[in-house]
Amino acid sequence: MKGIIRMFITLLLLPFGLYVSAQQSVTGVVADSATQEPLPMAAVTLMRGGKPVAFTNADDKGAFSIAVKAGDSLSVSFLGYRKHMVRVSPGRHVSIQMTPEAFELREVQVKSGRIAGLRDTISYDLSKFTDKRDNSLKDVLKKLPGVDVDKNGKISFNGKDISRFTVEDLDLTGGRYDRLNETLKPEDVDRADVIQHDQPVKALRDKVFTDDVAMNIKLKPGARDKWMATLRPAADVAFPLKGTEPIGGADVLQIGRKRQSLYDAEYDRSGRDLSRSNDVLAVGGTTGYGSGADVPQWLDQPELAAPIDDNRLRFNRSYSMNVKHTAKTVKGSDWRITAGYAHGNEEQTTSNTSSYYLGGSTIETTDETDYSCIKRDNVYVDFTSTLNNEKVYGNECFLAEATRREGVSHIEGTAQGTTAQTVKTPEMRLLNDFSRLFTLGDNTLTVRSTADFHYAPFSLNVDGTTEELKNLLWHTDNSAETVLPGRYFTHKYKVGFAIEHLNLRGRNTSVEVYATPGVEYRRGSMRLNLSVPVRWQRLTAQNRNLLYASPSLYLSLKTGMRSELTAWGGYAMKPGEWNNFVLDEYAFDYRTTYATCGVVPVDRTLSAYITYDYKRPVKELFWSFTASYSHTRSNLMTDMTIADGRYRYCVAERDNSRQSVFLKTQVSKGFFSLHLKTLLALQYAYSEGGQLSMSTITGYRAHTFTMSPEKTFSPSFGTFYYAGQFTVNGMNTDETAQNMLFCWRQNLSYTQTIGSVDITLSAVHYRNELQSAQTVNTLLADAGVVWRLKKVRLQAELRNIFNRRNYAVTYYGSASSSTTYYYLRPREIMLSAQISL
C-alpha cells in the first residue's frame, strides 16, 4: 500500500519537477555602456512568446535575478536610456549595456535640437552653436544657454561657478583652464557636458553628496591625439609710428583620452593680462590642493584698477610661457605636471577724490594723483599624481612658486607735494598635499596632510625711508575622516590638527585641534545634512585659548526633474587674521598707519541662504534665484581718523554688529530656430553697520540694485551682441543723506559676414554719475576686419576710434564715497595673423 502511495505522489509531482528543471534563474547586471556605472532600479521584464510574463527591478548595484525558460528574452528599460532586448538561457549570467538616449517625458528627460538633459547632466551639441566666425572654444561657450564666461575666463552654469574643468575626462590644467579654452578650435570640439552634484572621487559616489558643478569637453574623433600647432604673429601699430611694437604668440596642443599636452608662449604690449592664463579658476575636483595658508598682506601693493575693460587702460610689456602635460598610466592612475613663467611691466595713471562722513557736520576730503609702474614676475611648477577608482583614491600634489611684485609710485597732492613710494612684496612658496582613501566594505576612511612654507621679505620705501617686514610662515593641516553610509543615514566624522607659525618681529604660533561630526539623511529626492564643527585654538605668544563651534544645517530638495531647492543656515565663529593683532603698529602705505591693541578679534556670524534652480533644456530655459542674509557681531572696531591727508586706523576693543542682505535672480533663454541666446540678471545688495571715528560710531546704510540684460544673435550672415549693466547705488549715514547714483554700461557689436570676410563694429557707452553731481558720458568704439583662409586667419583692428583718453566713476563705501579718474590707451591699430600648422 505504501509503495502505491509513493508512486502516486511521484507521478503527481513529476510535471512540477520538469517545470522547475526548465525554469532556472538567470542573473545579470545593468550598467551604462559608456561609464560602466550600474543603473539601480532598472526595469527587467521577462518576455515569452512576445508577451510579458514576469517583472523585476535591479537592486542598488544594478544586479537582478529572474526565473526563465529556454527561448525567453529580457526587455530592460531605464529612464534616459534606449530599451534593450536580449535572449537568455537558464542558469546563465548576462551583462546588459544600456545606451543613453535623451528623450522627452513630460519635458523632464528632454532633448532639443542642440541641448539634451539627462538627470544631473546637461549635454550641449557644440556643433549646433559653432559658426565660422568663432575663433576658440571660449567663443562657443559664451553662446550656450545657462552658461556664462566672465571677462577673466571663469565659467559658471546657472549662476554657479564650475569647480572642475576637464577635456576627454582629463584635467590638463589643474583648474587653470582659460588658456586651454582660448587654444582649442571650435571645429575640433563635439560637445560640452555640465555635471551637477559632481562627485569626482569614484569611491565616494552615492556616499558623499556635493553641490559642485563640473564641465567636460568632448572632441570630435578626428581631433583626438593629433598635434595641432598655431602661430599668432601680430603688431601693435601706434601713432606716431615709431612706437609700433611686434607682439604675438604660438601654441602646440595635443588632446587624447590617455595623454594631453599644451605648450604656449606670448609677448604683448596691447593691454592684455598674460598672467591671467595661469589663474586657478576651478578650485575643486580630484586635483585641488588642500587648505594651505596665505601670507598676511601688510602693505598696500599697487594693483591695476579696472572698472572697465582692463586692456583699455593697461600700458604694458608682458610675456609668458606655459607647459602643461597629463597622462593616464597602465594601472589606471593619472599624473599631471604644469609649469609657467609670466612677466609683466604695467603702467597706470589715476586721480582720486575721496570723502569721508565720520560724524558731525565735517566732511573729510583727500585728493591724489598716482603715477604707478607695477612689475611682476611669477614662476611656478606643480606635479600631481592621482589614483581614482571605485575602491581606492589617492592624490599627491607638489607646488613650488616664486613671485616678485614691485610697485613704484609717484603721488601728487600729498602734504609733502610729491611723494615717491616703492612697495616690494616678493614671495617664495612650497606646498605638498597628500591624501589617501581606503574602503572598508561600504565604509571609507580618508587621511589628508597639507604642508606649506612661505618666505616673503616685504618692504616699504617712502621718500628714502624703508620699513621691512620679513615674513617667515609655515603651516600644516592633518586630518582623518570616515564615512559610514546607511540606507537613509550617512554618518561622517572628521578629526584633525593644524599648526601655523609666523616669524615676524617675534614668534607667533597657532595650534588647532578640530572635530567635525555630521550626519546626512537621504530619502528620495531630499537630502538633509547636519554638521557641527568644533575647533580649539591655542595662540602661544598671546597666551590665549579659544574654542569655536560652527553648527550648520543644509537641505537639498529636488522639487521635480526640472527644479531643485537648496537651503542652508548656520552659526560660525571665526578668529581674526595675524595682521589684526600681531604687530603693534605698522605703515600700510605712504599715508596710512595701522595700530592694533593686541586683542584677538572674533567674529560671530549668523547666516542663511536659499537657492532655487530650474532647468528646462527642451525649451533652452535656465533660471536661478538666490537670497542670503548674514548678521555678524565682532569684539573689535577700527577707529579711523584723517589729519593733513593722512589716515590712521587704530583697532579698539568695542562690540559692534553689521548685517547684509543679498538677492539675485538670473534667467537664460535660448531660441534654437533663431540662433538666439538671451540673459537677464537682477541683483540687490543691502548692508548696514557702523564706522568708528574719534570714539564715535557713525551708522551707515548702503544699497545697490543692478540689472544686466544680454543678447547674442548669431545667424549665418552675422553676429549681433548686446550687453548692458544698469546700476543704482546709494549710501547714507546717521549724519548725511547721499543722493542715489544711476550709472550704466552698454555694449553693442555687430559682425557682418561677406563670403570669407567678417567686418565688425563695436561700441561701449558708459554713463557715470559722480559724487560732485556731474554726469560723465564716455563712448568707446572699435572696428575690425577678419579674412578667413583655409589655414590662415588675418585680422586688422582699429581700437578707440574716437581717441577717448579719460574715464571716471564714483563708488560708495561704508561712510565714504570715492571718485577715480583713469587715463586710457590712445587710438591704435592691431594687425595679427593666426596660422594653423
Side-chain angles (χ1 to χ4, degrees), residues 222-262:
R224 297 192 194 113
D225 296 310
K226 73 175 184 179
W227 286 96
M228 298 171 283
T230 305
L231 298 179
R232 296 184 175 87
D236 180 10
V237 181
F239 300 96
L241 292 178
K242 65 180 182 180
T244 299
E245 289 281 347
I247 58 177
D251 60 70
V252 180
L253 175 68
Q254 182 195 41
I255 299 292
R257 290 178 172 175
K258 295 185 177 181
R259 184 179 298 271
Q260 299 178 4
S261 301
L262 172 62

mmCIF file of all heavy atoms in Angstrom, residues 222-262:
data_model
loop_
_atom_site.group_PDB
_atom_site.id
_atom_site.type_symbol
_atom_site.label_atom_id
_atom_site.label_comp_id
_atom_site.label_asym_id
_atom_site.label_seq_id
_atom_site.Cartn_x
_atom_site.Cartn_y
_atom_site.Cartn_z
ATOM 1 N N GLY A 222 38.254 62.840 -35.020
ATOM 2 C CA GLY A 222 39.387 63.198 -35.862
ATOM 3 C C GLY A 222 40.350 64.175 -35.219
ATOM 4 O O GLY A 222 41.473 64.346 -35.704
ATOM 5 N N ALA A 223 39.927 64.831 -34.121
ATOM 6 C CA ALA A 223 40.793 65.816 -33.464
ATOM 7 C C ALA A 223 41.574 65.218 -32.304
ATOM 8 O O ALA A 223 42.483 65.864 -31.787
ATOM 9 C CB ALA A 223 39.953 66.990 -32.965
ATOM 10 N N ARG A 224 41.231 64.015 -31.883
ATOM 11 C CA ARG A 224 41.906 63.406 -30.749
ATOM 12 C C ARG A 224 43.296 62.932 -31.134
ATOM 13 O O ARG A 224 43.509 62.402 -32.217
ATOM 14 C CB ARG A 224 41.097 62.231 -30.211
ATOM 15 C CG ARG A 224 39.731 62.599 -29.656
ATOM 16 C CD ARG A 224 39.132 61.455 -28.884
ATOM 17 N NE ARG A 224 37.708 61.678 -28.631
ATOM 18 C CZ ARG A 224 36.738 60.959 -29.168
ATOM 19 N NH1 ARG A 224 37.041 59.946 -29.969
ATOM 20 N NH2 ARG A 224 35.483 61.227 -28.905
ATOM 21 N N ASP A 225 44.231 63.132 -30.209
ATOM 22 C CA ASP A 225 45.591 62.593 -30.271
ATOM 23 C C ASP A 225 46.483 63.252 -31.323
ATOM 24 O O ASP A 225 47.691 62.991 -31.336
ATOM 25 C CB ASP A 225 45.581 61.070 -30.513
ATOM 26 C CG ASP A 225 44.938 60.330 -29.354
ATOM 27 O OD1 ASP A 225 45.332 60.596 -28.204
ATOM 28 O OD2 ASP A 225 44.051 59.493 -29.595
ATOM 29 N N LYS A 226 45.961 64.062 -32.183
ATOM 30 C CA LYS A 226 46.833 64.675 -33.191
ATOM 31 C C LYS A 226 47.431 65.968 -32.634
ATOM 32 O O LYS A 226 46.830 66.664 -31.819
ATOM 33 C CB LYS A 226 46.066 64.948 -34.479
ATOM 34 C CG LYS A 226 45.088 66.111 -34.427
ATOM 35 C CD LYS A 226 44.475 66.372 -35.794
ATOM 36 C CE LYS A 226 43.572 67.597 -35.772
ATOM 37 N NZ LYS A 226 42.989 67.877 -37.102
ATOM 38 N N TRP A 227 48.652 66.274 -33.084
ATOM 39 C CA TRP A 227 49.320 67.505 -32.680
ATOM 40 C C TRP A 227 48.786 68.665 -33.519
ATOM 41 O O TRP A 227 48.694 68.559 -34.736
ATOM 42 C CB TRP A 227 50.822 67.384 -32.851
ATOM 43 C CG TRP A 227 51.457 66.516 -31.813
ATOM 44 C CD1 TRP A 227 51.759 65.198 -31.925
ATOM 45 C CD2 TRP A 227 51.848 66.914 -30.492
ATOM 46 N NE1 TRP A 227 52.320 64.728 -30.768
ATOM 47 C CE2 TRP A 227 52.394 65.774 -29.858
ATOM 48 C CE3 TRP A 227 51.806 68.111 -29.788
ATOM 49 C CZ2 TRP A 227 52.890 65.789 -28.565
ATOM 50 C CZ3 TRP A 227 52.293 68.135 -28.490
ATOM 51 C CH2 TRP A 227 52.823 66.992 -27.891
ATOM 52 N N MET A 228 48.435 69.760 -32.843
ATOM 53 C CA MET A 228 47.913 70.951 -33.509
ATOM 54 C C MET A 228 48.750 72.150 -33.083
ATOM 55 O O MET A 228 48.865 72.439 -31.887
ATOM 56 C CB MET A 228 46.440 71.166 -33.149
ATOM 57 C CG MET A 228 45.523 70.037 -33.595
ATOM 58 S SD MET A 228 43.824 70.176 -32.953
ATOM 59 C CE MET A 228 44.064 69.614 -31.266
ATOM 60 N N ALA A 229 49.349 72.832 -34.040
ATOM 61 C CA ALA A 229 50.206 73.984 -33.760
ATOM 62 C C ALA A 229 49.627 75.233 -34.408
ATOM 63 O O ALA A 229 49.069 75.176 -35.515
ATOM 64 C CB ALA A 229 51.620 73.738 -34.277
ATOM 65 N N THR A 230 49.756 76.357 -33.712
ATOM 66 C CA THR A 230 49.233 77.629 -34.204
ATOM 67 C C THR A 230 50.253 78.728 -33.944
ATOM 68 O O THR A 230 50.777 78.846 -32.826
ATOM 69 C CB THR A 230 47.904 77.986 -33.518
ATOM 70 O OG1 THR A 230 46.976 76.912 -33.673
ATOM 71 C CG2 THR A 230 47.310 79.247 -34.114
ATOM 72 N N LEU A 231 50.517 79.542 -34.956
ATOM 73 C CA LEU A 231 51.351 80.733 -34.826
ATOM 74 C C LEU A 231 50.461 81.957 -34.858
ATOM 75 O O LEU A 231 49.508 82.031 -35.652
ATOM 76 C CB LEU A 231 52.379 80.802 -35.951
ATOM 77 C CG LEU A 231 53.401 79.667 -36.028
ATOM 78 C CD1 LEU A 231 54.326 79.884 -37.233
ATOM 79 C CD2 LEU A 231 54.216 79.577 -34.752
ATOM 80 N N ARG A 232 50.780 82.956 -34.010
ATOM 81 C CA ARG A 232 49.984 84.187 -33.938
ATOM 82 C C ARG A 232 50.887 85.409 -34.012
ATOM 83 O O ARG A 232 51.021 86.163 -33.034
ATOM 84 C CB ARG A 232 49.166 84.205 -32.654
ATOM 85 C CG ARG A 232 48.117 83.097 -32.555
ATOM 86 C CD ARG A 232 47.275 83.249 -31.302
ATOM 87 N NE ARG A 232 46.205 82.286 -31.243
ATOM 88 C CZ ARG A 232 46.316 81.062 -30.737
ATOM 89 N NH1 ARG A 232 47.488 80.670 -30.261
ATOM 90 N NH2 ARG A 232 45.292 80.236 -30.718
ATOM 91 N N PRO A 233 51.516 85.694 -35.126
ATOM 92 C CA PRO A 233 52.298 86.926 -35.244
ATOM 93 C C PRO A 233 51.376 88.138 -35.284
ATOM 94 O O PRO A 233 50.269 88.082 -35.838
ATOM 95 C CB PRO A 233 53.041 86.737 -36.568
ATOM 96 C CG PRO A 233 52.168 85.810 -37.360
ATOM 97 C CD PRO A 233 51.530 84.889 -36.365
ATOM 98 N N ALA A 234 51.826 89.248 -34.687
ATOM 99 C CA ALA A 234 50.990 90.454 -34.638
ATOM 100 C C ALA A 234 51.878 91.667 -34.425
ATOM 101 O O ALA A 234 53.064 91.569 -34.125
ATOM 102 C CB ALA A 234 49.954 90.344 -33.520
ATOM 103 N N ALA A 235 51.254 92.830 -34.599
ATOM 104 C CA ALA A 235 51.955 94.096 -34.377
ATOM 105 C C ALA A 235 50.966 95.107 -33.818
ATOM 106 O O ALA A 235 49.805 95.178 -34.246
ATOM 107 C CB ALA A 235 52.568 94.618 -35.678
ATOM 108 N N ASP A 236 51.433 95.876 -32.847
ATOM 109 C CA ASP A 236 50.654 96.970 -32.273
ATOM 110 C C ASP A 236 51.143 98.261 -32.919
ATOM 111 O O ASP A 236 52.231 98.747 -32.621
ATOM 112 C CB ASP A 236 50.858 97.002 -30.765
ATOM 113 C CG ASP A 236 50.064 98.122 -30.099
ATOM 114 O OD1 ASP A 236 49.230 98.743 -30.782
ATOM 115 O OD2 ASP A 236 50.295 98.376 -28.897
ATOM 116 N N VAL A 237 50.333 98.790 -33.827
ATOM 117 C CA VAL A 237 50.713 99.977 -34.592
ATOM 118 C C VAL A 237 50.257 101.215 -33.820
ATOM 119 O O VAL A 237 49.069 101.426 -33.607
ATOM 120 C CB VAL A 237 50.090 99.953 -35.997
ATOM 121 C CG1 VAL A 237 50.514 101.196 -36.780
ATOM 122 C CG2 VAL A 237 50.479 98.678 -36.735
ATOM 123 N N ALA A 238 51.206 102.015 -33.391
ATOM 124 C CA ALA A 238 50.910 103.199 -32.593
ATOM 125 C C ALA A 238 51.059 104.458 -33.435
ATOM 126 O O ALA A 238 51.564 104.441 -34.562
ATOM 127 C CB ALA A 238 51.832 103.252 -31.377
ATOM 128 N N PHE A 239 50.592 105.567 -32.909
ATOM 129 C CA PHE A 239 50.749 106.876 -33.536
ATOM 130 C C PHE A 239 51.480 107.791 -32.549
ATOM 131 O O PHE A 239 50.984 108.026 -31.447
ATOM 132 C CB PHE A 239 49.384 107.462 -33.908
ATOM 133 C CG PHE A 239 48.604 106.607 -34.864
ATOM 134 C CD1 PHE A 239 47.646 105.706 -34.397
ATOM 135 C CD2 PHE A 239 48.839 106.662 -36.234
ATOM 136 C CE1 PHE A 239 46.925 104.927 -35.266
ATOM 137 C CE2 PHE A 239 48.121 105.878 -37.107
ATOM 138 C CZ PHE A 239 47.163 105.002 -36.632
ATOM 139 N N PRO A 240 52.689 108.252 -32.853
ATOM 140 C CA PRO A 240 53.389 108.111 -34.141
ATOM 141 C C PRO A 240 53.910 106.682 -34.356
ATOM 142 O O PRO A 240 54.005 105.908 -33.421
ATOM 143 C CB PRO A 240 54.546 109.106 -34.029
ATOM 144 C CG PRO A 240 54.802 109.187 -32.545
ATOM 145 C CD PRO A 240 53.459 109.074 -31.901
ATOM 146 N N LEU A 241 54.266 106.361 -35.590
ATOM 147 C CA LEU A 241 54.621 105.003 -35.979
ATOM 148 C C LEU A 241 55.866 104.481 -35.279
ATOM 149 O O LEU A 241 56.066 103.265 -35.204
ATOM 150 C CB LEU A 241 54.820 104.931 -37.498
ATOM 151 C CG LEU A 241 53.549 105.124 -38.343
ATOM 152 C CD1 LEU A 241 53.899 105.089 -39.820
ATOM 153 C CD2 LEU A 241 52.512 104.061 -38.010
ATOM 154 N N LYS A 242 56.724 105.360 -34.785
ATOM 155 C CA LYS A 242 57.946 104.878 -34.138
ATOM 156 C C LYS A 242 57.640 104.077 -32.869
ATOM 157 O O LYS A 242 58.497 103.355 -32.364
ATOM 158 C CB LYS A 242 58.867 106.043 -33.811
ATOM 159 C CG LYS A 242 58.297 107.019 -32.779
ATOM 160 C CD LYS A 242 59.279 108.147 -32.505
ATOM 161 C CE LYS A 242 58.741 109.107 -31.445
ATOM 162 N NZ LYS A 242 59.679 110.209 -31.180
ATOM 163 N N GLY A 243 56.410 104.192 -32.378
ATOM 164 C CA GLY A 243 56.027 103.415 -31.200
ATOM 165 C C GLY A 243 55.492 102.035 -31.521
ATOM 166 O O GLY A 243 55.074 101.307 -30.623
ATOM 167 N N THR A 244 55.497 101.647 -32.802
ATOM 168 C CA THR A 244 54.983 100.338 -33.208
ATOM 169 C C THR A 244 55.856 99.220 -32.643
ATOM 170 O O THR A 244 57.082 99.293 -32.672
ATOM 171 C CB THR A 244 54.932 100.241 -34.735
ATOM 172 O OG1 THR A 244 54.049 101.265 -35.230
ATOM 173 C CG2 THR A 244 54.435 98.882 -35.179
ATOM 174 N N GLU A 245 55.195 98.169 -32.116
ATOM 175 C CA GLU A 245 55.907 97.067 -31.479
ATOM 176 C C GLU A 245 55.408 95.738 -32.023
ATOM 177 O O GLU A 245 54.205 95.551 -32.225
ATOM 178 C CB GLU A 245 55.679 97.088 -29.959
ATOM 179 C CG GLU A 245 56.367 98.221 -29.241
ATOM 180 C CD GLU A 245 57.845 97.926 -29.027
ATOM 181 O OE1 GLU A 245 58.259 96.768 -29.203
ATOM 182 O OE2 GLU A 245 58.575 98.880 -28.686
ATOM 183 N N PRO A 246 56.317 94.766 -32.272
ATOM 184 C CA PRO A 246 55.869 93.414 -32.627
ATOM 185 C C PRO A 246 55.368 92.688 -31.386
ATOM 186 O O PRO A 246 55.926 92.814 -30.288
ATOM 187 C CB PRO A 246 57.141 92.765 -33.175
ATOM 188 C CG PRO A 246 58.253 93.481 -32.479
ATOM 189 C CD PRO A 246 57.779 94.891 -32.280
ATOM 190 N N ILE A 247 54.286 91.928 -31.523
ATOM 191 C CA ILE A 247 53.736 91.112 -30.443
ATOM 192 C C ILE A 247 53.294 89.787 -31.051
ATOM 193 O O ILE A 247 53.500 89.532 -32.235
ATOM 194 C CB ILE A 247 52.538 91.811 -29.747
ATOM 195 C CG1 ILE A 247 51.442 92.126 -30.765
ATOM 196 C CG2 ILE A 247 52.973 93.089 -29.051
ATOM 197 C CD1 ILE A 247 50.204 92.740 -30.143
ATOM 198 N N GLY A 248 52.696 88.934 -30.260
ATOM 199 C CA GLY A 248 52.185 87.675 -30.804
ATOM 200 C C GLY A 248 52.508 86.500 -29.916
ATOM 201 O O GLY A 248 52.978 86.636 -28.780
ATOM 202 N N GLY A 249 52.252 85.295 -30.460
ATOM 203 C CA GLY A 249 52.473 84.091 -29.678
ATOM 204 C C GLY A 249 52.381 82.851 -30.528
ATOM 205 O O GLY A 249 52.179 82.907 -31.750
ATOM 206 N N ALA A 250 52.523 81.709 -29.861
ATOM 207 C CA ALA A 250 52.442 80.413 -30.528
ATOM 208 C C ALA A 250 52.011 79.380 -29.502
ATOM 209 O O ALA A 250 52.279 79.529 -28.297
ATOM 210 C CB ALA A 250 53.788 80.023 -31.142
ATOM 211 N N ASP A 251 51.324 78.327 -29.965
ATOM 212 C CA ASP A 251 50.951 77.244 -29.070
ATOM 213 C C ASP A 251 50.945 75.924 -29.821
ATOM 214 O O ASP A 251 50.741 75.883 -31.040
ATOM 215 C CB ASP A 251 49.579 77.492 -28.421
ATOM 216 C CG ASP A 251 48.446 77.624 -29.431
ATOM 217 O OD1 ASP A 251 48.079 76.615 -30.063
ATOM 218 O OD2 ASP A 251 47.927 78.745 -29.584
ATOM 219 N N VAL A 252 51.194 74.856 -29.086
ATOM 220 C CA VAL A 252 51.170 73.491 -29.603
ATOM 221 C C VAL A 252 50.301 72.673 -28.660
ATOM 222 O O VAL A 252 50.515 72.711 -27.436
ATOM 223 C CB VAL A 252 52.582 72.885 -29.701
ATOM 224 C CG1 VAL A 252 52.512 71.467 -30.244
ATOM 225 C CG2 VAL A 252 53.471 73.751 -30.579
ATOM 226 N N LEU A 253 49.346 71.930 -29.210
ATOM 227 C CA LEU A 253 48.347 71.250 -28.394
ATOM 228 C C LEU A 253 48.129 69.833 -28.894
ATOM 229 O O LEU A 253 48.089 69.588 -30.104
ATOM 230 C CB LEU A 253 47.022 72.029 -28.437
ATOM 231 C CG LEU A 253 45.811 71.425 -27.731
ATOM 232 C CD1 LEU A 253 46.015 71.432 -26.224
ATOM 233 C CD2 LEU A 253 44.549 72.207 -28.091
ATOM 234 N N GLN A 254 47.996 68.909 -27.964
ATOM 235 C CA GLN A 254 47.589 67.542 -28.271
ATOM 236 C C GLN A 254 46.617 67.080 -27.190
ATOM 237 O O GLN A 254 46.932 67.120 -25.999
ATOM 238 C CB GLN A 254 48.782 66.581 -28.322
ATOM 239 C CG GLN A 254 48.376 65.152 -28.692
ATOM 240 C CD GLN A 254 49.462 64.133 -28.403
ATOM 241 O OE1 GLN A 254 50.120 64.204 -27.375
ATOM 242 N NE2 GLN A 254 49.661 63.199 -29.316
ATOM 243 N N ILE A 255 45.433 66.625 -27.604
ATOM 244 C CA ILE A 255 44.408 66.180 -26.677
ATOM 245 C C ILE A 255 44.022 64.747 -27.024
ATOM 246 O O ILE A 255 43.589 64.469 -28.149
ATOM 247 C CB ILE A 255 43.158 67.077 -26.724
ATOM 248 C CG1 ILE A 255 43.513 68.507 -26.330
ATOM 249 C CG2 ILE A 255 42.078 66.522 -25.806
ATOM 250 C CD1 ILE A 255 43.910 68.678 -24.895
ATOM 251 N N GLY A 256 44.168 63.842 -26.096
ATOM 252 C CA GLY A 256 43.732 62.461 -26.256
ATOM 253 C C GLY A 256 43.029 61.992 -25.010
ATOM 254 O O GLY A 256 42.907 62.721 -24.021
ATOM 255 N N ARG A 257 42.552 60.761 -25.035
ATOM 256 C CA ARG A 257 41.873 60.212 -23.874
ATOM 257 C C ARG A 257 42.839 59.681 -22.826
ATOM 258 O O ARG A 257 42.458 59.471 -21.685
ATOM 259 C CB ARG A 257 40.926 59.096 -24.313
ATOM 260 C CG ARG A 257 39.723 59.618 -25.103
ATOM 261 C CD ARG A 257 38.832 58.504 -25.552
ATOM 262 N NE ARG A 257 37.596 59.023 -26.145
ATOM 263 C CZ ARG A 257 36.663 58.270 -26.725
ATOM 264 N NH1 ARG A 257 36.842 56.945 -26.807
ATOM 265 N NH2 ARG A 257 35.578 58.806 -27.227
ATOM 266 N N LYS A 258 44.090 59.447 -23.218
ATOM 267 C CA LYS A 258 45.083 58.928 -22.289
ATOM 268 C C LYS A 258 46.266 59.866 -22.098
ATOM 269 O O LYS A 258 47.032 59.698 -21.149
ATOM 270 C CB LYS A 258 45.587 57.563 -22.761
ATOM 271 C CG LYS A 258 44.514 56.479 -22.752
ATOM 272 C CD LYS A 258 45.098 55.130 -23.118
ATOM 273 C CE LYS A 258 44.038 54.040 -23.042
ATOM 274 N NZ LYS A 258 44.597 52.700 -23.385
ATOM 275 N N ARG A 259 46.420 60.849 -22.973
ATOM 276 C CA ARG A 259 47.576 61.742 -22.893
ATOM 277 C C ARG A 259 47.216 63.095 -23.495
ATOM 278 O O ARG A 259 46.588 63.158 -24.553
ATOM 279 C CB ARG A 259 48.755 61.124 -23.631
ATOM 280 C CG ARG A 259 50.055 61.897 -23.539
ATOM 281 C CD ARG A 259 51.153 61.172 -24.301
ATOM 282 N NE ARG A 259 51.411 59.863 -23.728
ATOM 283 C CZ ARG A 259 52.285 59.636 -22.758
ATOM 284 N NH1 ARG A 259 52.997 60.646 -22.273
ATOM 285 N NH2 ARG A 259 52.479 58.425 -22.276
ATOM 286 N N GLN A 260 47.625 64.183 -22.816
ATOM 287 C CA GLN A 260 47.331 65.527 -23.304
ATOM 288 C C GLN A 260 48.519 66.440 -23.008
ATOM 289 O O GLN A 260 49.188 66.293 -21.977
ATOM 290 C CB GLN A 260 46.070 66.094 -22.628
ATOM 291 C CG GLN A 260 44.820 65.274 -22.883
ATOM 292 C CD GLN A 260 43.591 65.828 -22.173
ATOM 293 O OE1 GLN A 260 43.651 66.883 -21.534
ATOM 294 N NE2 GLN A 260 42.480 65.122 -22.279
ATOM 295 N N SER A 261 48.760 67.390 -23.924
ATOM 296 C CA SER A 261 49.871 68.328 -23.757
ATOM 297 C C SER A 261 49.486 69.690 -24.316
ATOM 298 O O SER A 261 48.729 69.783 -25.291
ATOM 299 C CB SER A 261 51.134 67.827 -24.468
ATOM 300 O OG SER A 261 51.549 66.570 -23.978
ATOM 301 N N LEU A 262 50.029 70.737 -23.699
ATOM 302 C CA LEU A 262 49.844 72.100 -24.178
ATOM 303 C C LEU A 262 51.109 72.888 -23.894
ATOM 304 O O LEU A 262 51.606 72.914 -22.759
ATOM 305 C CB LEU A 262 48.656 72.779 -23.493
ATOM 306 C CG LEU A 262 48.464 74.278 -23.753
ATOM 307 C CD1 LEU A 262 48.202 74.534 -25.236
ATOM 308 C CD2 LEU A 262 47.338 74.852 -22.906
#
